[in-house]
Structure formats: structure tokens, C-alpha cells
Amino acid sequence: MTTLSKSDVENIAHLARLKLTDAETELFQEQLSAILLYAEAIQQPDTTDIPPTTSAIPRHTVMRADEPADGLSTAEALANAPDTAEDSFRVKPILP
Amino acid sequence: MPELAKLTIEDAQMLLREGAISAEELTQSVLTRLFAVEPVVQAYLSVQEDAALDAARTADARRAAGDDAPLLGIPIAVKDAILTKGVTTTCGSKILKNFVPPYDATVVQKLRAAGAIIIGKTNTDEFTMGSSTEFSAFHPTHNPWNMDYVPGGSSGGSAAAVAANETLGALGTDTGGSIRQPAAYCGIVGLKPTYGRASRYGLIAHGSSLDQPGPMTKTVTDAAVLLQAIAGHDPRDATSLDAPVPDYPAELRRSKGFDGLRIGVPKEYFIDGLNPAVDTAVRNALILAESHGAELVEISLPHTDFGIPVYYLIATAEASSNLSRYDGVRFGVRVPADSMWETYFETRAAGFGAEVKRRIMLGTYALSAGYYDAYYLKAQKVRTLIQRDFTAAFEKVDVIFAPTTPDTAFKLGQKIDDPLQMYLTDIFTVMTNLAGIPGISIPAGFADGLPIGLQILGPALGESAILRAAHAYEQLTDWHHDHPDL
């Protein structure tokens, strides 16, 4: 299960929206396989009836008063954008 | 008068209060020192010289008007993983090389409110992913004790800056040891608070169930002072704890030292691969504590061996999700391409370095259909077992003593091509983040001229207990008086 094929690596890269070079694909295939082989150790402990951790410190639902407050201005929100137009983020058309 | 940059926060506060020095003189001394050693240490990614001097003059004016805020006029460095309004914040990544945050992180806002002067932004592994600061997209940082060695990471810039007296104190962030491991390698004090003790609002997210900001300082008292300034509930971080914040420095002044303190000694932390000098340093600390009234209790943390695999599956899973925001749309670098779809792939390929890509890949895999149960879910169940180990241990002891790292700092380039070997340097620090508990690393000796770190762990919200034990050890030793020859 832990030895990744080249197509496994390509599939993960696709899911992660990463374009990899052939050299990166080959390197990650080798390195991630080694890391996953090491990570197999976590299968050892018996976790029957052990709940997964959902929070490092147990928490109750956090509530706060619904009070209006200032957020970022449009100019501040757009200040770091690579491309803007008409008070919006500008991107290539999503639909061809 | 000693060189002001070498002062502790505690001593500088006293001299500022007495009027013996001004904040401007102090800040100028730190800047002079910084510019003298930066060419070789390279701890900073940016230095806010003019803003710092302006803030220093403002601090002097405030003091003249009767203000005595806790950090008034004290220069502090901030890891570049923490947002500073109007000051470029890159998190060590090319993808954020031009990012200017429109707001301050809560911990930065609190520092400013306490009167601190932000001197500059310190180097980090890209998106805090690394244990050596070599994965910074800009430049590596050097260990002030030996320039051929890494300062640790990811808060290696903050650790090196404090060790080299390029600041009085610094903020770091710790997801799996990123405050404590570089503190150990650079011979300074580094404290990771309880998860939720300090706000994560404005920290550039790595692993959101693990991340915590914390102080990196020359002494334990300084760590208490800095923790005091940043701790507390923040309505903008739903995971921050709504628990009262003790007066940490006052508690240290009243401390009874080691007398009556129950110290746990976890057998799983004294492993075969431990550097004998590290082993000896920690055992000597235990002997010293016992001779001053502490009770040593043998304990077991049976799931310690699973810490690294559990951590690297959970942290990368969370990172893969957190880093999906870097898509070239709202902020960060964009690599234009023919379609929106290709823009995502090209932007992320060009913007992220190798280690970040590797971790995004690992985390994506751990969360993907067909593997989620075997990796992510299983890891979260084993995490529960790790937490239960600590809960059981803290029924018997007040604090736990352990090495911070199995070895002292390694050479630049030594582990850069072997990710698993790099991950294993965190073997004694990741458990603390998985369990959400606080930990501190303090100087405990040297091996071949490189510092050794003693790690002290406490139960959730047990910062007072670990500070007390760390302070008691510091009072009985002189390691914190040693400085690198720079």
C-alpha cells in the first residue's frame, strides 16, 4: 500500500493543483514512499473504541454577541491582489 | 554600562524605568549590533530601522508622560510567519514575497499595546515547514555558535537573532517544535504555550490544530514577561482559551524553586540514538533538581514512538488544506497562464519550494479517498492515545524533564536531501503539539561548542509550573550567561 507508483504521484499532484516536473515526480515518488513506509508504524496500536482527536484542548461551542464591527475596506482587501477590476479580483474566465 | 543590545528584557526594563537609558539608545544599540553581525548570521528577512527608531522615540515620550507599559521601549523581533500591518510578511516563501498584511496579528497588536518596538521580521523555513531554516526561499540562517551549523527551525531566524544579541527577545511559532528545537540549537529559552493560550489570529496557518505563537528569549524571566504580553483570549480565534492569565513574572518572583516539585522522567525519551552529551546534560539537571528538593518520578509515555508519523500525517493534512488558499487570486504571486485552471498549477509550481510541495503532496494523500481511514483518521486516533499518555502522567507529576532534541545542531546541508532524517530531529517536540500541552526549552550545557536544550513539559495551562522549574534550574546554572563569540 505504501509504495507509490508514478501515476499515484501524478494523481496526488493533480488533487493538490501542483504542476510537477518529471524530476520532481521521480524524487517525490521515492521520498514519499519512504515516508509512508515509515508512517506504517501508526497501524500498530490498537485503536478499537478510541475516538479520533477533534481538538487538542476540549472545547465547547464558542458563542459571541452578534455585533457589527468594521472589516477591511474594499481597497485594503484588494491591495495584495495580482489583478483587479471594478472593485473585484480579476481572473481568466472559468468557463471556456 | 554594558553594550545595551546584550541586556535581558528584565534588565532593560529596570534601566528604562530608572531613566538610566532611553528606548532610543537601546534600539540604536540593537540596530548597530544587528547590522554588524547580520552579514554572517542572516537571521532577518527585513529590518524596520526607521519605524523602530520612531517607535523608540514615541516610547520615550510616553515614559516621560508617566506611562509604564510592561514592554515600553523594548525591541522585539517577530518571525515572518506572523502578520505585521504594513510590513511585508513572506513566511519565507516566494509566493508571498510582496505580501503586505492589511492588519496585525493579535499577538503583534498585544506587543505594540505593551509598548514593544518591532525591530524586524525573522527568517523561517517556508511556511514554517522545516527544522533548519534552510527551506527559507530567501537565504539560510547560520547558528551564531558555529556558522557552519544550522540554527534549527522553523523559527531559526528568531533563535539566532536572540542568541546573537540582535534583539532583546523574539516571537516564534511552534507547530511541531519550531520554537523549542531552534531555542535548543541556539542556546536560548523558547516556550510553546498551551494550544489556545495565545491567539493564532494573524499567524500564517500551517497545522491549525497544532500552531501556537510563543516567546524566544535570553532568560526564563524574559519568557514569562513576553508570554504575559501575548497570552489571553481573543474573540477572533475561536480556539483561543477563555481562561484567566496568571501574572507569570510575579509567580516566578514568589517561586519556591524545586522544593516539593514532582518531576516525571519518561523512559521513552532516553533512547539509544541520543547524543551521550545530551543524555548527560538532562540527567545532571535531574540530579541537580533532586538535590534541591524535587522528587523524581519514573514515568512512561508508551506511545512516544508514534509521535513522528502521527505528527507528519496530521500536520501535512492540515497544511495541504491551509495552503490551498495560495491560488494566485486574492493575494500572493500569480503566474499568468491561458486558463484559470492552468494558472493554479503554474502559480503553485513556481511559488512553492520543494519541502512545501512534498508536504502538500503527503497531506493530500493522507486525506484522499481510499487512504483517509488508514492515514488521517488512524493518526487522529493514535493522537488520542498520545494525549491520554500525558493525562495519566500528569496525575503523578507536576512537570516532565526530557531532552529537547536527540542531538545538538547539525551542519548546513547535512539533512537537506533526506526529509525523513530532518523530520526525526523533532522526535521529542511533536508530542507536545499533538497533546496541546505547553513546553519550554532552556540552555543546559554544550557539546563540542554547540548548545544543548533541556525540555520541560507541563499539563494544559501549566505554563506557571514549567516556568517555575525552568527558572529554578536557571538560578542554579550559568549556561544562560554564555554568549557566542561574535
Side-chain angles (χ1 to χ4, degrees):
Chain A
M1 188 158 91
T2 56
T3 305
L4 297 176
S5 67
K6 187 176 176 219
S7 74
D8 287 335
V9 175
E10 287 166 349
N11 181 43
I12 302 165
H14 179 79
L15 289 172
R17 308 290 181 261
L18 285 171
K19 185 179 151 188
L20 299 184
T21 62
D22 289 347
E24 281 177 321
T25 304
E26 199 178 316
L27 183 67
F28 286 166
Q29 186 183 341
E30 182 195 322
Q31 290 177 333
L32 295 176
S33 293
I35 294 166
L36 287 168
L37 188 67
Y38 178 77
E40 275 305 292
I42 67 159
Q43 308 305 332
Q44 287 169 28
D46 181 1
T47 51
T48 315
D49 300 328
I50 301 294
T53 297
T54 51
S55 174
I57 301 292
R59 300 290 293 146
H60 304 288
T61 302
V62 177
M63 306 292 279
R64 65 164 174 82
D66 185 16
E67 288 162 350
D70 290 334
L72 296 179
S73 67
T74 306
E76 285 170 323
L78 292 174
N80 282 287
D83 196 7
T84 61
E86 298 172 23
D87 283 350
S88 305
F89 301 109
R90 182 154 72 182
V91 296
K92 292 275 183 186
I94 306 292
L95 298 171
Chain B
M1 181 77 62
E3 193 185 329
L4 300 184
K6 292 183 177 169
L7 291 171
T8 62
I9 294 173
E10 186 186 16
D11 288 343
Q13 279 174 326
M14 199 175 67
L15 293 170
L16 285 164
R17 279 184 185 133
E18 288 170 354
I21 61 170
S22 69
E24 188 176 358
E25 286 166 340
L26 179 62
T27 304
Q28 189 57 63
S29 170
V30 167
L31 287 166
T32 302
R33 168 75 182 172
L34 185 159
F35 288 122
V37 300
E38 251 324 79
V40 286
V41 180
Q42 297 190 285
Y44 285 87
L45 288 174
S46 65
V47 179
Q48 284 73 57
E49 184 181 4
D50 294 341
L53 287 169
D54 278 350
R57 286 185 281 267
T58 304
D60 286 330
R62 277 171 66 177
R63 188 172 298 280
D67 192 342
D68 189 30
L71 292 172
L72 190 59
I74 303 290
I76 300 289
V78 176
K79 185 182 185 180
D80 210 28
I82 303 174
L83 301 191
T84 40
K85 184 176 183 175
V87 175
T88 305
T89 301
T90 67
C91 212
S93 182
K94 276 191 288 188
I95 211 163
L96 287 178
K97 66 181 181 190
N98 300 318
F99 178 65
V100 182
Y103 61 92
D104 273 333
T106 296
V107 289
V108 170
Q109 212 173 49
K110 281 174 167 275
L111 280 187
R112 291 193 205 276
I117 292 161
I118 311 292
I119 200 100
K121 303 298 295 287
T122 53
N123 201 10
T124 169
D125 289 292
E126 183 175 5
F127 288 109
T128 78
M129 296 176 189
S131 307
S132 69
T133 316
E134 291 167 292
F135 291 128
S136 166
F138 302 102
H139 54 72
T141 294
H142 297 259
N143 190 312
W145 292 93
N146 186 327
M147 296 297 164
D148 295 333
Y149 286 76
V150 301
S154 64
S155 307
S158 287
V162 172
N165 290 311
E166 297 181 67
T167 180
L168 269 65
L171 290 188
T173 63
D174 191 316
T175 305
S178 281
I179 286 174
R180 291 160 289 152
Q181 187 256 27
Y185 282 6
C186 290
I188 64 158
V189 176
L191 188 151
K192 182 203 90 74
T194 305
Y195 181 76
R197 173 78 292 185
S199 169
R200 291 183 298 110
Y201 181 78
L203 264 59
I204 295 181
H206 169 178
S208 299
S209 79
L210 306 157
D211 297 340
Q212 261 298 289
M216 303 179 76
T217 54
K218 297 172 188 177
T219 64
V220 174
T221 298
D222 283 6
V225 169
L226 212 42
L227 177 64
Q228 189 70 36
I230 63 167
H233 180 246
D234 178 8
R236 289 175 297 190
D237 173 3
T239 60
S240 83
L241 296 172
D242 196 3
V245 180
D247 187 336
Y248 297 114
E251 289 196 345
L252 277 190
R253 286 192 291 273
R254 293 193 296 266
S255 165
K256 289 183 298 189
F258 280 126
D259 196 27
L261 196 70
R262 296 171 305 166
I263 300 175
V265 187
K267 60 180 182 195
E268 291 83 1
Y269 282 62
F270 295 86
I271 53 171
D272 284 346
L274 202 57
N275 177 332
V278 175
D279 185 278
T280 303
V282 178
R283 291 189 193 280
N284 285 344
L286 289 166
I287 292 166
L288 187 67
E290 191 176 31
S291 71
H292 284 82
E295 180 196 347
L296 305 188
V297 183
E298 183 97 3
I299 59 164
S300 175
L301 299 165
H303 296 92
T304 296
D305 280 354
F306 307 111
I308 288 285
V310 166
Y311 171 78
Y312 275 95
L313 290 168
I314 291 171
T316 59
E318 293 182 6
S320 73
S321 170
N322 275 326
L323 271 64
S324 64
R325 75 191 61 180
Y326 303 102
D327 58 4
V329 174
R330 290 155 301 156
F331 45 77
V333 167
R334 174 190 294 182
V335 177
D338 289 342
S339 68
M340 192 63 233
W341 185 251
E342 285 169 66
T343 302
Y344 292 150
F345 282 83
E346 297 285 348
T347 295
R348 291 162 65 80
F352 292 142
E355 178 63 14
V356 172
K357 288 179 189 170
R358 197 155 37 232
R359 295 207 195 190
I360 290 174
M361 297 278 292
L362 183 60
T364 301
Y365 184 69
L367 290 174
S368 65
Y371 300 98
Y372 178 91
D373 285 1
Y375 290 116
Y376 184 71
L377 189 63
K378 179 75 184 185
Q380 291 287 22
K381 288 178 178 176
V382 182
R383 183 180 185 181
T384 302
L385 294 174
I386 290 170
Q387 291 184 345
R388 289 179 181 180
D389 283 355
F390 281 105
T391 306
F394 285 121
E395 281 169 10
K396 288 181 254 172
V397 300
D398 302 308
V399 295
I400 293 171
F401 273 31
T404 309
T405 55
D407 206 345
T408 52
F410 49 93
K411 277 194 167 162
L412 284 151
Q414 190 183 326
K415 295 180 197 271
I416 201 158
D417 294 321
D418 191 341
L420 197 50
Q421 284 308 309
M422 187 78 90
Y423 298 169
L424 287 170
T425 66
D426 300 335
I427 195 161
F428 297 144
T429 49
V430 293
M431 259 75 74
T432 319
N433 302 74
L434 291 169
I437 60 173
I440 189 169
S441 178
I442 56 172
F446 292 88
D448 297 325
L450 291 167
I452 294 169
L454 166 67
Q455 185 175 214
I456 303 174
L457 309 178
L461 292 175
E463 280 80 2
S464 297
I466 61 173
L467 285 165
R468 170 188 164 189
H471 187 251
Y473 177 79
E474 192 182 68
Q475 296 297 104
L476 296 168
T477 55
D478 285 324
W479 309 118
H480 59 291
H481 293 309
D482 283 327
H483 296 287
D485 211 5
L486 268 177

